[in-house]
Short mmCIF file of all heavy atoms in Angstrom, two decimals:
data_model
loop_
_atom_site.label_atom_id
_atom_site.label_comp_id
_atom_site.label_asym_id
_atom_site.label_seq_id
_atom_site.Cartn_x
_atom_site.Cartn_y
_atom_site.Cartn_z
N MET A 1 102.35 124.02 102.68
CA MET A 1 101.59 123.43 103.77
C MET A 1 100.58 122.54 103.24
O MET A 1 99.86 122.93 102.25
CB MET A 1 100.94 124.55 104.53
CG MET A 1 101.67 124.94 105.88
SD MET A 1 100.57 125.52 107.02
CE MET A 1 100.69 127.28 106.81
N SER A 2 100.54 121.40 103.58
CA SER A 2 99.52 120.42 103.19
C SER A 2 98.27 120.58 104.03
O SER A 2 98.36 120.66 105.29
CB SER A 2 100.06 119.00 103.35
OG SER A 2 100.34 118.69 104.60
N PRO A 3 97.26 120.73 103.34
CA PRO A 3 96.02 120.95 104.21
C PRO A 3 95.65 119.60 104.90
O PRO A 3 95.47 118.57 104.36
CB PRO A 3 94.95 121.19 103.06
CG PRO A 3 95.53 120.66 101.73
CD PRO A 3 97.00 120.65 101.98
N GLU A 4 95.63 119.76 106.17
CA GLU A 4 95.37 118.58 107.02
C GLU A 4 93.90 118.38 107.02
O GLU A 4 93.12 119.32 107.38
CB GLU A 4 95.95 118.80 108.42
CG GLU A 4 96.07 117.49 109.13
CD GLU A 4 96.81 117.67 110.39
OE1 GLU A 4 97.92 118.25 110.39
OE2 GLU A 4 96.29 117.16 111.46
N ILE A 5 93.52 117.28 106.73
CA ILE A 5 92.09 117.04 106.76
C ILE A 5 91.60 116.63 108.15
O ILE A 5 91.89 115.48 108.64
CB ILE A 5 91.71 115.84 105.72
CG1 ILE A 5 92.18 116.21 104.31
CG2 ILE A 5 90.21 115.54 105.81
CD1 ILE A 5 92.22 115.13 103.39
N ALA A 6 91.08 117.60 108.74
CA ALA A 6 90.54 117.30 110.14
C ALA A 6 89.18 116.81 110.05
O ALA A 6 88.27 117.57 110.07
CB ALA A 6 90.66 118.58 110.87
N ARG A 7 89.09 115.57 109.89
CA ARG A 7 87.71 115.00 109.76
C ARG A 7 87.03 115.09 111.10
O ARG A 7 87.59 114.66 112.14
CB ARG A 7 87.90 113.54 109.30
CG ARG A 7 86.90 113.25 108.16
CD ARG A 7 87.12 111.83 107.69
NE ARG A 7 88.29 111.69 106.92
CZ ARG A 7 88.78 110.49 106.47
NH1 ARG A 7 88.22 109.44 106.86
NH2 ARG A 7 89.88 110.43 105.70
N PRO A 8 85.88 115.58 111.15
CA PRO A 8 85.23 115.62 112.45
C PRO A 8 84.89 114.17 112.85
O PRO A 8 84.40 113.31 112.06
CB PRO A 8 83.88 116.41 112.17
CG PRO A 8 83.71 116.35 110.66
CD PRO A 8 85.10 116.19 110.06
N ARG A 9 85.13 113.92 114.09
CA ARG A 9 84.94 112.57 114.55
C ARG A 9 83.42 112.25 114.54
O ARG A 9 82.63 113.16 114.82
CB ARG A 9 85.39 112.49 116.02
CG ARG A 9 86.65 111.66 116.13
CD ARG A 9 86.98 111.28 117.56
NE ARG A 9 88.07 112.07 118.03
CZ ARG A 9 88.31 112.23 119.31
NH1 ARG A 9 87.37 111.84 120.19
NH2 ARG A 9 89.36 112.91 119.71
N PRO A 10 83.10 111.09 114.14
CA PRO A 10 81.78 110.75 114.11
C PRO A 10 81.13 110.87 115.59
O PRO A 10 81.79 110.39 116.49
CB PRO A 10 81.65 109.31 113.73
CG PRO A 10 83.03 108.83 113.75
CD PRO A 10 83.96 110.04 113.68
N PRO A 11 80.00 111.52 115.76
CA PRO A 11 79.52 111.81 117.11
C PRO A 11 79.27 110.48 117.81
O PRO A 11 79.29 110.52 119.09
CB PRO A 11 78.17 112.46 116.86
CG PRO A 11 77.86 112.23 115.38
CD PRO A 11 79.15 111.99 114.73
N GLU A 12 79.16 109.39 117.13
CA GLU A 12 78.94 108.14 117.79
C GLU A 12 80.08 107.68 118.64
O GLU A 12 79.97 106.95 119.60
CB GLU A 12 78.64 107.04 116.86
CG GLU A 12 77.31 107.28 116.00
CD GLU A 12 77.02 106.09 115.15
OE1 GLU A 12 77.90 105.34 114.82
OE2 GLU A 12 75.89 105.94 114.73
N GLU A 13 81.30 108.20 118.33
CA GLU A 13 82.53 107.69 119.03
C GLU A 13 82.52 107.95 120.56
O GLU A 13 82.89 107.10 121.25
CB GLU A 13 83.69 108.40 118.43
CG GLU A 13 84.18 107.82 117.11
CD GLU A 13 84.61 106.37 117.30
OE1 GLU A 13 85.25 106.02 118.25
OE2 GLU A 13 84.30 105.54 116.42
N GLU A 14 81.94 109.07 120.88
CA GLU A 14 82.13 109.47 122.27
C GLU A 14 80.89 109.95 122.95
O GLU A 14 80.81 110.95 123.60
CB GLU A 14 83.24 110.54 122.44
CG GLU A 14 84.60 109.89 122.43
CD GLU A 14 85.63 110.85 122.74
OE1 GLU A 14 85.38 111.94 123.40
OE2 GLU A 14 86.86 110.60 122.52
N GLU A 15 79.86 109.18 122.77
CA GLU A 15 78.67 109.60 123.43
C GLU A 15 78.61 108.97 124.83
O GLU A 15 79.33 107.99 125.09
CB GLU A 15 77.43 108.96 122.65
CG GLU A 15 77.05 109.90 121.49
CD GLU A 15 75.93 109.36 120.71
OE1 GLU A 15 76.00 108.23 120.42
OE2 GLU A 15 75.02 110.16 120.41
N ASN A 16 77.87 109.58 125.65
CA ASN A 16 77.74 109.08 126.98
C ASN A 16 76.38 108.55 127.28
O ASN A 16 75.41 108.94 126.64
CB ASN A 16 78.12 110.25 128.00
CG ASN A 16 79.58 110.70 127.81
OD1 ASN A 16 79.90 111.68 127.31
ND2 ASN A 16 80.37 109.85 128.48
N CYS A 17 76.36 107.64 128.19
CA CYS A 17 75.01 107.12 128.61
C CYS A 17 74.02 108.12 128.88
O CYS A 17 74.30 109.12 129.57
CB CYS A 17 75.36 106.19 129.83
SG CYS A 17 73.83 105.41 130.34
N LEU A 18 72.84 107.98 128.41
CA LEU A 18 71.83 108.93 128.51
C LEU A 18 71.08 108.88 129.85
O LEU A 18 70.37 109.83 130.24
CB LEU A 18 70.83 108.84 127.39
CG LEU A 18 69.86 109.99 127.10
CD1 LEU A 18 70.68 111.16 126.64
CD2 LEU A 18 68.92 109.61 125.95
N VAL A 19 71.25 107.83 130.57
CA VAL A 19 70.59 107.68 131.85
C VAL A 19 71.15 108.76 132.87
O VAL A 19 72.35 108.82 133.01
CB VAL A 19 70.81 106.27 132.43
CG1 VAL A 19 70.12 106.14 133.80
CG2 VAL A 19 70.21 105.18 131.44
N PRO A 20 70.18 109.47 133.38
CA PRO A 20 70.50 110.65 134.28
C PRO A 20 71.45 110.07 135.43
O PRO A 20 71.15 109.02 136.06
CB PRO A 20 69.29 111.11 134.80
CG PRO A 20 68.25 110.75 133.81
CD PRO A 20 68.70 109.39 133.17
N GLY A 21 72.48 110.77 135.63
CA GLY A 21 73.46 110.38 136.74
C GLY A 21 74.36 109.33 136.36
O GLY A 21 75.20 108.97 137.27
N CYS A 22 74.43 108.85 135.19
CA CYS A 22 75.29 107.75 134.82
C CYS A 22 76.59 108.36 134.19
O CYS A 22 77.64 108.51 134.74
CB CYS A 22 74.72 106.76 133.97
SG CYS A 22 75.78 105.45 133.42
N GLY A 23 76.44 108.76 132.87
CA GLY A 23 77.54 109.49 132.20
C GLY A 23 78.59 108.54 131.76
O GLY A 23 79.59 109.13 131.29
N ALA A 24 78.55 107.27 131.84
CA ALA A 24 79.51 106.37 131.39
C ALA A 24 79.59 106.39 129.86
O ALA A 24 78.59 106.73 129.26
CB ALA A 24 79.32 104.97 131.90
N VAL A 25 80.68 105.96 129.25
CA VAL A 25 80.71 105.90 127.80
C VAL A 25 79.76 104.91 127.29
O VAL A 25 79.61 103.78 127.78
CB VAL A 25 82.12 105.57 127.38
CG1 VAL A 25 82.24 105.43 125.88
CG2 VAL A 25 83.12 106.64 127.84
N ALA A 26 79.06 105.33 126.27
CA ALA A 26 77.99 104.47 125.65
C ALA A 26 78.55 103.32 124.93
O ALA A 26 79.52 103.42 124.20
CB ALA A 26 77.10 105.25 124.77
N ALA A 27 77.98 102.16 125.21
CA ALA A 27 78.36 100.98 124.50
C ALA A 27 77.36 100.57 123.40
O ALA A 27 77.73 100.01 122.34
CB ALA A 27 78.53 99.75 125.41
N ARG A 28 76.16 100.98 123.55
CA ARG A 28 75.14 100.65 122.57
C ARG A 28 74.23 101.95 122.43
O ARG A 28 74.14 102.76 123.30
CB ARG A 28 74.23 99.56 123.14
CG ARG A 28 74.83 98.31 123.43
CD ARG A 28 75.14 97.59 122.11
NE ARG A 28 75.83 96.34 122.33
CZ ARG A 28 75.64 95.23 121.67
NH1 ARG A 28 74.77 95.21 120.75
NH2 ARG A 28 76.26 94.14 121.92
N ARG A 29 73.63 101.94 121.27
CA ARG A 29 72.68 103.07 121.02
C ARG A 29 71.34 102.51 120.64
O ARG A 29 71.21 101.60 119.73
CB ARG A 29 73.27 103.88 119.90
CG ARG A 29 74.27 104.86 120.35
CD ARG A 29 75.25 105.25 119.22
NE ARG A 29 76.52 105.49 119.84
CZ ARG A 29 77.53 104.70 119.96
NH1 ARG A 29 77.39 103.47 119.48
NH2 ARG A 29 78.62 105.04 120.56
N LEU A 30 70.33 102.97 121.27
CA LEU A 30 68.97 102.56 120.95
C LEU A 30 68.23 103.81 120.57
O LEU A 30 68.74 104.94 120.61
CB LEU A 30 68.38 102.08 122.20
CG LEU A 30 69.07 100.93 122.98
CD1 LEU A 30 68.48 100.69 124.31
CD2 LEU A 30 69.06 99.66 122.19
N SER A 31 67.11 103.59 120.03
CA SER A 31 66.24 104.74 119.77
C SER A 31 65.64 105.20 121.09
O SER A 31 65.52 104.34 122.01
CB SER A 31 65.10 104.33 118.79
OG SER A 31 64.15 103.59 119.41
N LEU A 32 65.37 106.46 121.19
CA LEU A 32 65.00 107.01 122.45
C LEU A 32 63.64 106.25 122.86
O LEU A 32 63.43 106.05 124.05
CB LEU A 32 64.71 108.50 122.26
CG LEU A 32 64.59 109.26 123.61
CD1 LEU A 32 65.67 109.02 124.52
CD2 LEU A 32 64.40 110.73 123.28
N THR A 33 62.83 106.01 121.91
CA THR A 33 61.55 105.37 122.21
C THR A 33 61.81 104.02 122.83
O THR A 33 61.20 103.64 123.86
CB THR A 33 60.79 105.13 120.94
OG1 THR A 33 60.92 106.29 120.05
CG2 THR A 33 59.28 104.91 121.22
N GLU A 34 62.72 103.25 122.25
CA GLU A 34 63.10 101.91 122.91
C GLU A 34 63.58 102.15 124.28
O GLU A 34 63.17 101.38 125.22
CB GLU A 34 64.10 101.21 122.07
CG GLU A 34 63.55 100.60 120.74
CD GLU A 34 62.49 99.55 121.12
OE1 GLU A 34 62.80 98.64 121.91
OE2 GLU A 34 61.41 99.65 120.53
N ALA A 35 64.52 102.98 124.45
CA ALA A 35 65.16 103.18 125.77
C ALA A 35 64.20 103.59 126.82
O ALA A 35 64.36 103.18 127.99
CB ALA A 35 66.26 104.24 125.61
N ARG A 36 63.17 104.36 126.36
CA ARG A 36 62.19 104.84 127.38
C ARG A 36 61.33 103.70 127.90
O ARG A 36 60.65 103.88 128.94
CB ARG A 36 61.35 105.93 126.74
CG ARG A 36 61.98 107.24 126.67
CD ARG A 36 61.13 108.34 126.68
NE ARG A 36 61.81 109.59 127.02
CZ ARG A 36 61.82 110.67 126.29
NH1 ARG A 36 61.13 110.70 125.18
NH2 ARG A 36 62.43 111.71 126.78
N LYS A 37 61.29 102.55 127.20
CA LYS A 37 60.53 101.52 127.72
C LYS A 37 61.10 101.02 129.01
O LYS A 37 60.49 100.30 129.85
CB LYS A 37 60.54 100.34 126.68
CG LYS A 37 59.67 100.70 125.51
CD LYS A 37 59.71 99.62 124.41
CE LYS A 37 58.98 100.01 123.19
NZ LYS A 37 59.17 98.98 122.13
N ALA A 38 62.37 101.23 129.19
CA ALA A 38 63.09 100.67 130.43
C ALA A 38 63.44 101.78 131.39
O ALA A 38 63.49 101.59 132.57
CB ALA A 38 64.29 99.95 130.08
N PHE A 39 63.73 102.98 130.87
CA PHE A 39 64.21 104.04 131.79
C PHE A 39 63.34 105.22 131.62
O PHE A 39 63.05 105.75 130.52
CB PHE A 39 65.58 104.51 131.34
CG PHE A 39 66.67 103.32 131.43
CD1 PHE A 39 67.07 102.75 130.22
CD2 PHE A 39 67.00 102.77 132.54
CE1 PHE A 39 67.88 101.71 130.26
CE2 PHE A 39 67.86 101.78 132.60
CZ PHE A 39 68.41 101.18 131.43
N SER A 40 62.84 105.71 132.72
CA SER A 40 62.06 106.94 132.73
C SER A 40 62.90 108.09 133.03
O SER A 40 64.03 107.95 133.55
CB SER A 40 60.86 106.87 133.74
OG SER A 40 61.42 106.57 135.06
N GLY A 41 62.54 109.27 132.60
CA GLY A 41 63.31 110.48 132.86
C GLY A 41 64.48 110.70 132.04
O GLY A 41 65.39 111.38 132.41
N LEU A 42 64.52 110.10 130.83
CA LEU A 42 65.54 110.21 129.91
C LEU A 42 65.39 111.63 129.27
O LEU A 42 64.34 112.04 128.93
CB LEU A 42 65.59 109.19 128.79
CG LEU A 42 65.93 107.78 129.23
CD1 LEU A 42 65.87 106.86 127.97
CD2 LEU A 42 67.24 107.73 129.87
N PRO A 43 66.54 112.38 129.18
CA PRO A 43 66.45 113.75 128.59
C PRO A 43 66.13 113.63 127.10
O PRO A 43 66.44 112.66 126.46
CB PRO A 43 67.84 114.28 128.78
CG PRO A 43 68.68 113.14 129.03
CD PRO A 43 67.81 112.09 129.65
N ASP A 44 65.36 114.61 126.65
CA ASP A 44 64.96 114.58 125.23
C ASP A 44 66.17 115.23 124.46
O ASP A 44 66.26 116.39 124.19
CB ASP A 44 63.78 115.40 125.03
CG ASP A 44 62.81 114.77 124.15
OD1 ASP A 44 63.25 114.14 123.18
OD2 ASP A 44 61.54 114.86 124.37
N ARG A 45 67.04 114.34 123.98
CA ARG A 45 68.19 114.82 123.33
C ARG A 45 68.27 114.15 121.93
O ARG A 45 69.18 113.36 121.69
CB ARG A 45 69.44 114.53 124.13
CG ARG A 45 70.59 115.55 123.98
CD ARG A 45 71.84 115.00 124.74
NE ARG A 45 72.26 113.80 124.15
CZ ARG A 45 73.27 113.11 124.57
NH1 ARG A 45 73.92 113.43 125.60
NH2 ARG A 45 73.66 111.99 123.95
N GLY A 46 67.40 114.52 121.14
CA GLY A 46 67.44 113.85 119.78
C GLY A 46 66.65 112.54 119.82
O GLY A 46 65.95 112.25 120.82
N ARG A 47 66.84 111.82 118.79
CA ARG A 47 66.12 110.62 118.65
C ARG A 47 66.72 109.36 119.21
O ARG A 47 66.20 108.31 119.24
CB ARG A 47 65.90 110.39 117.21
CG ARG A 47 64.74 111.23 116.61
CD ARG A 47 63.85 110.28 115.85
NE ARG A 47 63.18 110.92 114.82
CZ ARG A 47 63.49 110.84 113.52
NH1 ARG A 47 64.67 110.29 113.14
NH2 ARG A 47 62.70 111.32 112.64
N ARG A 48 68.11 109.48 119.56
CA ARG A 48 68.68 108.31 119.87
C ARG A 48 69.18 108.27 121.33
O ARG A 48 69.40 109.39 121.92
CB ARG A 48 70.02 108.06 119.05
CG ARG A 48 69.54 107.82 117.61
CD ARG A 48 70.81 107.61 116.74
NE ARG A 48 71.87 108.49 117.15
CZ ARG A 48 73.08 108.17 116.96
NH1 ARG A 48 73.45 107.14 116.43
NH2 ARG A 48 74.05 109.07 117.31
N ALA A 49 69.30 107.13 121.92
CA ALA A 49 69.67 107.07 123.33
C ALA A 49 70.88 106.19 123.46
O ALA A 49 70.71 104.92 123.41
CB ALA A 49 68.49 106.50 124.15
N PRO A 50 71.99 106.76 123.65
CA PRO A 50 73.16 105.89 123.95
C PRO A 50 73.12 105.43 125.36
O PRO A 50 72.79 106.05 126.24
CB PRO A 50 74.37 106.92 123.77
CG PRO A 50 73.76 108.24 123.95
CD PRO A 50 72.28 108.17 123.57
N LEU A 51 73.51 104.19 125.48
CA LEU A 51 73.53 103.53 126.89
C LEU A 51 74.86 102.85 127.06
O LEU A 51 75.42 102.19 126.18
CB LEU A 51 72.35 102.44 126.92
CG LEU A 51 70.97 102.91 126.84
CD1 LEU A 51 70.08 101.69 126.98
CD2 LEU A 51 70.67 103.88 127.98
N CYS A 52 75.30 102.92 128.29
CA CYS A 52 76.51 102.20 128.70
C CYS A 52 76.20 100.73 128.78
O CYS A 52 75.02 100.31 128.72
CB CYS A 52 77.05 102.76 129.99
SG CYS A 52 75.97 102.29 131.43
N ARG A 53 77.23 99.95 128.97
CA ARG A 53 77.04 98.54 128.99
C ARG A 53 76.06 98.11 130.05
O ARG A 53 75.20 97.18 129.83
CB ARG A 53 78.37 97.90 129.20
CG ARG A 53 78.41 96.41 128.81
CD ARG A 53 79.79 95.95 128.86
NE ARG A 53 80.63 96.48 127.71
CZ ARG A 53 81.84 95.95 127.34
NH1 ARG A 53 82.33 95.02 127.88
NH2 ARG A 53 82.46 96.52 126.32
N ASP A 54 76.16 98.64 131.18
CA ASP A 54 75.37 98.23 132.39
C ASP A 54 73.88 98.50 132.06
O ASP A 54 72.98 97.74 132.30
CB ASP A 54 75.89 98.89 133.67
CG ASP A 54 77.12 98.30 134.10
OD1 ASP A 54 77.49 97.20 133.54
OD2 ASP A 54 77.74 98.84 135.03
N HIS A 55 73.67 99.74 131.58
CA HIS A 55 72.29 100.16 131.42
C HIS A 55 71.69 99.45 130.21
O HIS A 55 70.50 99.24 130.16
CB HIS A 55 72.23 101.64 131.28
CG HIS A 55 72.29 102.39 132.59
ND1 HIS A 55 73.14 103.33 132.93
CD2 HIS A 55 71.43 102.22 133.61
CE1 HIS A 55 72.88 103.74 134.13
NE2 HIS A 55 71.89 103.02 134.59
N TYR A 56 72.52 99.11 129.28
CA TYR A 56 72.02 98.32 128.10
C TYR A 56 71.56 96.95 128.61
O TYR A 56 70.58 96.49 128.24
CB TYR A 56 73.13 98.15 127.05
CG TYR A 56 72.62 97.32 125.93
CD1 TYR A 56 71.69 97.69 125.07
CD2 TYR A 56 73.21 96.07 125.68
CE1 TYR A 56 71.29 96.95 123.97
CE2 TYR A 56 72.78 95.25 124.69
CZ TYR A 56 71.80 95.72 123.82
OH TYR A 56 71.32 94.99 122.77
N ARG A 57 72.30 96.41 129.51
CA ARG A 57 71.96 95.13 130.02
C ARG A 57 70.58 95.22 130.82
O ARG A 57 69.72 94.35 130.75
CB ARG A 57 73.00 94.66 131.09
CG ARG A 57 73.23 93.15 131.05
CD ARG A 57 74.36 92.73 131.92
NE ARG A 57 75.59 92.78 131.15
CZ ARG A 57 76.84 92.62 131.70
NH1 ARG A 57 76.90 92.30 132.99
NH2 ARG A 57 77.89 92.64 131.03
N GLU A 58 70.56 96.33 131.59
CA GLU A 58 69.23 96.54 132.31
C GLU A 58 68.11 96.77 131.35
O GLU A 58 67.05 96.22 131.55
CB GLU A 58 69.37 97.85 133.09
CG GLU A 58 69.65 97.66 134.55
CD GLU A 58 69.62 98.94 135.37
OE1 GLU A 58 68.62 99.68 135.28
OE2 GLU A 58 70.69 99.26 135.94
N TRP A 59 68.36 97.44 130.24
CA TRP A 59 67.35 97.63 129.28
C TRP A 59 66.90 96.30 128.66
O TRP A 59 65.69 96.08 128.47
CB TRP A 59 67.91 98.55 128.19
CG TRP A 59 66.94 98.64 126.96
CD1 TRP A 59 65.81 99.54 126.97
CD2 TRP A 59 66.96 97.99 125.83
NE1 TRP A 59 65.17 99.33 125.71
CE2 TRP A 59 65.86 98.39 125.02
CE3 TRP A 59 67.82 96.96 125.28
CZ2 TRP A 59 65.55 97.85 123.75
CZ3 TRP A 59 67.50 96.44 124.05
CH2 TRP A 59 66.46 96.83 123.31
N LYS A 60 67.88 95.47 128.43
CA LYS A 60 67.56 94.16 127.86
C LYS A 60 66.60 93.39 128.72
O LYS A 60 65.65 92.87 128.32
CB LYS A 60 68.89 93.37 127.59
CG LYS A 60 69.09 93.17 126.14
CD LYS A 60 70.51 92.62 126.04
CE LYS A 60 70.57 91.43 125.05
NZ LYS A 60 71.92 90.82 125.07
N LYS A 61 66.93 93.36 130.01
CA LYS A 61 66.17 92.67 131.00
C LYS A 61 64.70 93.25 130.99
O LYS A 61 63.69 92.56 130.99
CB LYS A 61 66.78 92.82 132.38
CG LYS A 61 67.67 91.75 132.72
CD LYS A 61 68.04 91.77 134.25
CE LYS A 61 69.46 91.41 134.46
NZ LYS A 61 69.89 91.89 135.74
N ALA A 62 64.73 94.55 131.07
CA ALA A 62 63.35 95.26 131.22
C ALA A 62 62.49 94.94 130.03
O ALA A 62 61.28 94.75 130.12
CB ALA A 62 63.63 96.70 131.48
N THR A 63 63.19 95.00 128.81
CA THR A 63 62.34 94.84 127.61
C THR A 63 61.91 93.37 127.42
O THR A 63 60.94 93.14 126.84
CB THR A 63 63.08 95.37 126.35
OG1 THR A 63 64.36 94.84 126.36
CG2 THR A 63 63.11 96.84 126.36
N LYS A 64 62.72 92.52 127.93
CA LYS A 64 62.34 91.19 127.83
C LYS A 64 61.06 90.91 128.61
O LYS A 64 60.15 90.31 128.13
CB LYS A 64 63.49 90.22 128.44
CG LYS A 64 63.53 88.88 127.73
CD LYS A 64 64.63 88.06 128.43
CE LYS A 64 65.88 88.03 127.57
NZ LYS A 64 66.95 87.23 128.21
N LYS A 65 61.04 91.45 129.74
CA LYS A 65 59.76 91.40 130.66
C LYS A 65 58.61 92.05 129.80
O LYS A 65 57.53 91.44 129.75
CB LYS A 65 60.00 92.09 131.91
CG LYS A 65 60.22 91.17 133.07
CD LYS A 65 60.35 91.92 134.39
CE LYS A 65 61.81 91.64 135.00
NZ LYS A 65 62.15 92.64 135.88
N ALA A 66 58.90 93.24 129.32
CA ALA A 66 57.86 93.94 128.61
C ALA A 66 57.32 93.10 127.41
O ALA A 66 56.10 93.14 127.10
CB ALA A 66 58.29 95.30 128.12
N ARG A 67 58.25 92.43 126.75
CA ARG A 67 57.84 91.74 125.61
C ARG A 67 56.92 90.57 126.00
O ARG A 67 55.91 90.26 125.35
CB ARG A 67 59.12 91.16 124.91
CG ARG A 67 59.19 91.68 123.48
CD ARG A 67 60.54 91.25 122.88
NE ARG A 67 61.55 92.36 122.99
CZ ARG A 67 62.78 92.11 123.09
NH1 ARG A 67 63.27 90.90 123.13
NH2 ARG A 67 63.61 93.16 123.15
N THR A 68 57.28 89.96 127.09
CA THR A 68 56.38 88.86 127.58
C THR A 68 54.96 89.38 127.89
O THR A 68 53.93 88.73 127.59
CB THR A 68 57.02 88.25 128.76
OG1 THR A 68 58.45 88.11 128.68
CG2 THR A 68 56.46 86.79 129.07
N LEU A 69 54.97 90.53 128.53
CA LEU A 69 53.67 91.12 128.86
C LEU A 69 52.90 91.53 127.61
O LEU A 69 51.74 91.23 127.58
CB LEU A 69 53.92 92.46 129.69
CG LEU A 69 54.35 92.18 131.14
CD1 LEU A 69 54.60 93.49 131.81
CD2 LEU A 69 53.22 91.44 131.94
N GLU A 70 53.65 91.97 126.65
CA GLU A 70 52.98 92.38 125.40
C GLU A 70 52.30 91.18 124.75
O GLU A 70 51.19 91.18 124.27
CB GLU A 70 54.03 92.94 124.46
CG GLU A 70 53.70 94.33 124.01
CD GLU A 70 54.87 94.93 123.26
OE1 GLU A 70 55.19 94.45 122.24
OE2 GLU A 70 55.50 95.86 123.80
N ARG A 71 53.10 90.05 124.82
CA ARG A 71 52.53 88.84 124.21
C ARG A 71 51.33 88.40 124.94
O ARG A 71 50.38 87.96 124.31
CB ARG A 71 53.61 87.71 124.25
CG ARG A 71 53.46 86.88 122.95
CD ARG A 71 54.54 85.86 123.01
NE ARG A 71 55.85 86.40 122.79
CZ ARG A 71 57.03 85.83 123.22
NH1 ARG A 71 56.97 84.77 123.93
NH2 ARG A 71 58.22 86.39 122.92
N ALA A 72 51.31 88.61 126.20
CA ALA A 72 50.12 88.10 127.01
C ALA A 72 48.85 88.95 126.65
O ALA A 72 47.76 88.47 126.68
CB ALA A 72 50.35 88.22 128.48
N THR A 73 49.01 90.22 126.37
CA THR A 73 47.87 91.11 126.09
C THR A 73 47.37 90.85 124.68
O THR A 73 46.26 91.14 124.38
CB THR A 73 48.23 92.61 126.21
OG1 THR A 73 49.58 92.78 125.91
CG2 THR A 73 47.98 93.00 127.60
N TRP A 74 48.25 90.33 123.76
CA TRP A 74 47.75 90.17 122.46
C TRP A 74 46.69 89.03 122.29
O TRP A 74 46.96 87.88 122.27
CB TRP A 74 48.99 89.79 121.54
CG TRP A 74 49.58 91.06 121.03
CD1 TRP A 74 49.84 92.20 121.69
CD2 TRP A 74 49.97 91.33 119.66
NE1 TRP A 74 50.32 93.20 120.87
CE2 TRP A 74 50.36 92.66 119.61
CE3 TRP A 74 49.96 90.54 118.42
CZ2 TRP A 74 50.86 93.23 118.40
CZ3 TRP A 74 50.42 91.18 117.30
CH2 TRP A 74 50.85 92.50 117.26
ZN1 ZN B 1 74.64 104.13 132.09
#
């Protein structure tokens, strides 16, 4: 019998979007801190926040605004 190497799949492969009520397959991964800038109520599940394509887009929009505000306060 040849020992079959059952390599555990990297957890990144099948993560789901962290936004509550979404659950779509994640397309991007952000740090939880970053993701929280756009989404409130994210579960505390480690340091990373996988986001589906749609929510990533939303995040991008939201952080773009935040960045502009940040610049204004500086
Ligand atoms: Zn999502």
Side-chain angles (χ1 to χ4, degrees):
M1 261 209 265
S2 62
E4 200 169 311
I5 301 162
R7 228 176 283 172
R9 253 193 250 158
E12 292 186 343
E13 282 295 319
E14 278 188 17
E15 276 178 314
N16 294 102
C17 181
L18 198 62
V19 177
C22 178
V25 176
R28 301 282 180 143
R29 276 151 212 99
L30 308 169
S31 73
L32 194 56
T33 321
E34 281 300 309
R36 282 208 163 125
K37 289 178 185 173
F39 304 106
S40 52
L42 291 180
D44 223 325
R45 210 190 63 184
R47 281 232 205 99
R48 294 182 321 156
L51 292 179
C52 69
R53 199 170 288 195
D54 287 349
H55 279 123
Y56 178 69
R57 213 174 275 174
E58 259 182 58
W59 172 83
K60 247 171 134 182
K61 266 191 220 163
T63 49
K64 212 181 255 180
K65 259 182 239 157
R67 242 172 262 151
T68 320
L69 286 176
E70 241 169 67
R71 212 178 289 154
T73 29
W74 269 48

